[in-house]
Amino acid sequence: MTLSPKLLSALRNLVDKQGGADVDWINIADARALTELGFARRTRAGWEITSEGLALVKSGSGGPEGPTLVS
């Protein structure tokens, strides 16, 4: 599966957020798109990456720059 650059950036921000880093804001439309794909979820604490989203980023699928999903 390949992600658009915007969605990939949002997904990487969620990875960094999970790791405790300060991250830029995440566009709601991008976060919702990631949620529909099963890569993120909305909680009381904000948007979080799912295990599926984390696995996608870690796999680096889609080439050297990671996933490239075009929907």
Side-chain angles (χ1 to χ4, degrees), residues 2-48:
T2 56
L3 294 176
S4 70
K6 283 179 51 176
L7 292 182
L8 181 56
S9 176
L11 194 60
R12 288 183 176 153
N13 276 345
L14 292 176
V15 170
D16 293 343
K17 179 181 174 184
Q18 181 182 12
D22 290 331
V23 297
D24 290 335
W25 61 276
I26 296 170
N27 181 289
I28 292 173
D30 295 341
R32 286 181 177 167
L34 291 171
T35 299
E36 289 177 18
L37 294 168
F39 299 139
R41 68 178 157 261
R42 177 79 170 132
T43 68
R44 290 182 179 184
W47 297 100
E48 295 180 351

Side-chain angles (χ1 to χ4, degrees), residues 1-3 11 39 51-61 66-67:
M1 170 170 287
T2 56
L3 294 176
L11 194 60
F39 299 139
S51 56
E52 293 83 1
L54 188 58
L56 183 66
V57 172
K58 285 184 175 183
S59 75
S61 60

